[in-house]
Amino acid sequence: MKVEQHRLARFAVLIDADNTSPQIAEGLFEEVAKFGEASVRRIYGDFSSPQLKSWADILQKHAIDPYQQFAYTKGKNASDIALVIDAMDLLHSGRFDGFCLVSSDSDFTRLASRLREQGADVYGFGAQKTPESFRQACRRFIYTENLLPEIVASTGDNAQKLKALKPPSAAVPILKTAITQIESEDGWAPLGTVGQQVSKLNTDFDTRTYGFGKLSDLVRKTGAFDVEKGDGGHLRIKLRSPKASAKTERQS
């Protein structure tokens, strides 16, 4: 009897070459592999332009199919239009579970919303400068700064060597909100549940943004929460009293 193996979710990775650095290519596909398979890998741009030569040099290495779009008219982005048309064609093929839209351009906000309306998962990838409208239109949004080679290489025991885009203190309000939304009589909340709630509230939340590979390390560093092992050895956290938090900040 043949045992059917679990099929990975199929994703179409569509890259806007004009608004994406080729330096993130390695980290991009490693990130996609965490939640599915990059079944389609396409990139859109005018590859006759010198500005995109660095992309052209690595397309074969990552099995990315280039879709050439000549800039016939200055100021008109044919690449964006081609990407949107292909995304809708792929959506209606019914062969994909989701899409990875790689761009920092807010013009793709409506595309992300439309894909999600049809039940597809949409993961956005873009720089920190990406407008909030596009970030919030995605199920999850990953900053491409967190996919640079030096960041991807810093994992596990080297988590604290990550280059932080924001200070750990910036994560405190987000974590506090998540804890208050989790019903608990004693104020304690499972760390895993907190992480899930944070992702729902903030599509772009990523521990790497604050310089850590693990949520538990980030929580401890803030000094704003008590952390302990609960039933089954799973970590749980609780908002620390203002006096205790202030003392921790002085010690750090």
Side-chain angles (χ1 to χ4, degrees), residues 22 55 69 77 80 84 91 112-113 124 133 138 142 187-188 205 210 212-213 216 238 244:
W55 263 118
Q69 298 296 321
N77 199 333
D80 289 3
V84 171
L91 171 69
S113 299
S133 58
C138 301
I142 296 95
W188 287 98
F205 183 83
Y210 306 93
F212 294 89
S216 57
K238 180 180 182 181

Side-chain angles (χ1 to χ4, degrees), residues 137-222:
C138 301
R139 175 185 176 183
R140 186 162 178 240
F141 194 88
I142 296 95
Y143 291 136
T144 50
E145 289 92 342
N146 287 327
L147 302 179
L148 293 172
E150 62 269 22
I151 301 298
V152 174
S154 301
T155 56
D157 295 336
N158 296 321
Q160 293 199 33
K161 293 181 181 179
L162 293 175
K163 182 179 179 182
L165 303 178
K166 297 180 181 179
S169 58
V172 173
I174 302 172
L175 294 167
K176 282 183 177 179
T177 301
I179 291 175
T180 57
Q181 292 184 353
I182 298 172
E183 294 184 4
S184 173
E185 294 182 358
D186 58 4
W188 287 98
L191 184 62
T193 305
V194 172
Q196 294 172 5
Q197 189 64 18
V198 166
S199 296
K200 293 178 183 177
L201 295 171
N202 300 269
T203 61
D204 59 352
F205 183 83
D206 191 330
T207 58
R208 293 171 295 189
T209 300
Y210 306 93
F212 294 89
K214 297 180 180 178
L215 180 59
S216 57
D217 293 332
L218 170 59
V219 168
R220 289 189 176 97
K221 183 61 178 179
T222 64

Side-chain angles (χ1 to χ4, degrees), residues 6-15 24-41 96-102 120-126 138-144 147 199 203 205-206 208:
H6 176 68
R7 179 180 68 81
L8 290 174
R10 295 193 180 99
F11 281 81
V13 181
L14 308 179
I15 306 170
I24 63 103
E26 192 87 34
L28 168 65
F29 291 110
E30 287 183 8
E31 194 74 18
V32 174
K34 293 178 181 179
F35 50 81
E37 175 188 352
S39 301
V40 163
R41 304 181 179 198
F96 299 92
D97 301 291
F99 293 79
C100 297
L101 304 180
V102 189
D121 283 336
V122 177
Y123 289 76
F125 294 81
C138 301
R139 175 185 176 183
R140 186 162 178 240
F141 194 88
I142 296 95
Y143 291 136
T144 50
L147 302 179
S199 296
T203 61
F205 183 83
D206 191 330
R208 293 171 295 189

